[in-house]
Amino acid sequence: MHDASVFRSIHVARFHAEPAVFVAPGRVNLIGEHTDYAEGFVMPAAINFATLAGISPRDDGQVVVYSENYGEKKTFSATAPPPKGTGHWSDYPMGVAAILAGEGHTIPAFSLSLWGDVPLGSGLSSSAAVEVATALALLSLIGAEYPGPALARLCQRAENEFVGASCGIMDQFISVNGRENHALLLDCRDLSFKLAPIPANVALVIANTMVKHSVAGGDYKTRRAESEAACAVIAGHRAGVRFLRDATLDDLERWGHEMAPKSLLRARHIISENLRTVAAEEALCNGDLKKLGRLMAEAHLSYSRDFEASCEEADAMVELAQNLPGLIGARLTGGGFGGCTVNLVEQSCAQAFAQALGKGYAERVGIEPQIHICQASGGAHLLE
Ligand code: GLA
């Protein structure tokens, strides 16, 4: 999928220097949505869609970033980079440079080429893949190393502080720490994780509704604010509750009436989603695929009804999947409001499932979807 030699030659033709090339994957989240910033649980897997970042040093004091996807290059001064993003694709690599500079690193002059096949705005973490690939590239040039969790945190800060998107840690964490054929149950409180093997007879079918989503957009922020307002009400009664991770459904019974109705619904989603996510990891590890599928179905309903983060198209994609042979579980994945559904499907049925789902969706919704049969992949690394 990623032809590194073609990518290298693109960098050499443009910058007349051999690059060091790094790859960072996108991700699909099996379950645990909008729980990461509430210090809860998520269970994503890295996938075989990724961003490549090629880097070489320059001697003219400039930082030049080039995107093969956009066919566009931007030039900055290495010593006076922009303080904030401007809503341009270059915000993601420059945000990483800015955070590293803030950490006390001297940013050298460099040329950076980027190319990726993670579908943009589809809820598969194309931005995290760009951040992580850039961070590894820049750190190699600087001659510094960060342990996995710290690297993920640095990239998340680039997105929070420079790009201005209030995302949690999930996407960057899994892009750094993904494992082949595994999902990962991540505790977003202390960043400890458990690997959950995805059985060989289970396929990851990712179905793109083709409805664009954006984490930088208003809906993500509103949902986060609504759920944090609910948490503040509980915290007012129960010391020790700092995040919805610390809250229970009982708390909602007792103090839900003090919350705005939307806040109560958002909190109910997050609190119940944490329970489902931990249970889903157990089900996956015990080979209880029926239970896993049921939890995914409940998660989708909760995401759609309580969190109101789905859309007609995604609901249709999930509903159509229910009637197809081989389905284990289906739900909308990622930040919401469009993007992709994740379908766990019996491997032997995956091809037929993908075809039938695509056909059914096109007929029902009038949009030609993109459907991919993906593999759970390893995390970001240097390409030799
Ligand atoms: C986006 C964010 C993540 C997470 C998900 C929702 O992908 O980047 O941090 O909040 O949405 O689960």
Side-chain angles (χ1 to χ4, degrees):
M1 205 171 258
H2 323 110
D3 192 336
S5 58
V6 173
F7 178 71
R8 266 177 217 284
S9 59
I10 289 171
H11 185 95
V12 171
R14 178 163 296 271
F15 296 119
H16 312 292
E18 264 306 320
V21 178
F22 296 82
V23 60
R27 66 101 188 91
V28 66
N29 190 19
L30 301 189
I31 192 163
E33 229 61 88
H34 282 253
T35 45
D36 58 354
Y37 54 72
E39 295 206 345
F41 295 91
V42 293
M43 191 163 67
I47 52 174
N48 52 322
F49 286 108
T51 291
L52 299 181
I55 198 160
S56 57
R58 303 176 67 95
D59 53 16
D60 60 358
Q62 290 188 334
V63 166
V64 184
V65 292
Y66 168 71
S67 162
E68 174 68 7
N69 293 81
Y70 289 97
E72 191 186 30
K73 119 187 153 179
K74 276 272 242 181
T75 302
F76 303 89
S77 151
T79 46
K84 276 267 177 269
T86 57
H88 190 256
W89 62 262
S90 59
D91 290 355
Y92 297 96
M94 292 312 289
V96 171
I99 297 295
L100 281 172
E103 293 251 296
H105 295 288
T106 304
I107 303 301
F110 64 88
S111 306
L112 182 82
S113 300
L114 293 168
W115 174 80
D117 62 1
V118 188
L120 301 178
S122 302
L124 300 178
S125 298
S126 52
S127 4
V130 170
E131 289 151 10
V132 171
T134 301
L136 284 184
L138 251 175
L139 285 169
S140 80
L141 203 61
I142 293 171
E145 265 186 53
Y146 279 60
L151 182 62
R153 194 61 89 189
L154 186 137
C155 293
Q156 182 201 8
R157 284 185 53 207
E159 191 144 343
N160 293 164
E161 296 168 29
F162 191 91
V163 177
S166 53
C167 66
I169 186 84
M170 166 168 70
D171 306 348
Q172 293 80 7
F173 194 93
I174 188 67
S175 183
V176 171
N177 297 295
R179 208 64 65 85
E180 234 174 88
N181 303 322
H182 287 76
L184 192 147
L185 176 72
L186 174 65
D187 181 339
C188 298
R189 168 147 285 171
D190 60 7
L191 301 187
S192 61
F193 64 88
K194 280 195 214 161
L195 289 173
I198 299 179
N201 61 338
V202 174
L204 281 179
V205 181
I206 296 177
N208 193 338
T209 62
M210 311 307 276
V211 177
K212 290 269 180 202
H213 111 124
S214 153
V215 172
D219 290 329
Y220 185 96
K221 276 193 191 144
T222 312
R223 292 301 181 278
R224 185 169 174 166
E226 287 165 342
S227 67
E228 286 170 351
C231 187
V233 169
I234 302 170
H237 294 281
R238 223 161 48 79
V241 173
R242 289 186 304 122
F243 292 89
L244 281 178
R245 155 69 176 274
D246 307 308
T248 64
L249 293 170
D250 263 4
D251 293 333
L252 295 184
E253 287 288 319
R254 294 181 68 180
W255 299 303
H257 64 276
E258 294 177 24
M259 298 168 188
K262 295 278 184 209
S263 278
L264 172 60
L265 290 176
R266 309 314 182 223
R268 192 164 73 182
H269 166 74
I270 293 179
I271 295 171
S272 60
E273 185 82 344
N274 275 326
L275 299 172
R276 282 187 292 270
T277 304
V278 171
E281 187 265 346
E282 240 179 68
L284 183 55
C285 288
N286 295 337
D288 191 346
L289 298 180
K290 266 215 160 78
K291 179 161 184 198
L292 178 62
R294 204 172 62 234
L295 290 163
M296 288 175 76
E298 285 169 18
H300 182 77
L301 269 187
S302 168
Y303 205 31
S304 179
R305 296 196 184 153
D306 281 358
F307 214 68
E308 295 181 274
S310 188
C311 57
E312 241 176 76
E313 295 85 348
D315 285 344
M317 192 74 95
V318 167
E319 194 195 312
L320 287 161
Q322 307 303 321
N323 303 320
L324 298 177
L327 180 79
I328 297 163
R331 51 174 293 278
L332 173 61
T333 186
F337 315 102
C340 293
T341 67
V342 55
N343 302 266
L344 295 184
V345 180
E346 283 166 32
Q347 194 66 257
S348 57
C349 301
Q351 285 290 350
F353 176 94
Q355 267 191 1
L357 184 59
K359 188 163 173 281
Y361 183 79
E363 280 169 10
R364 163 96 69 101
V365 178
I367 302 174
E368 206 58 58
Q370 281 172 5
I371 312 230
H372 313 279
I373 302 177
C374 288
Q375 268 84 48
S377 305
H381 59 274
L382 171 68
L383 277 186
E384 300 292 351

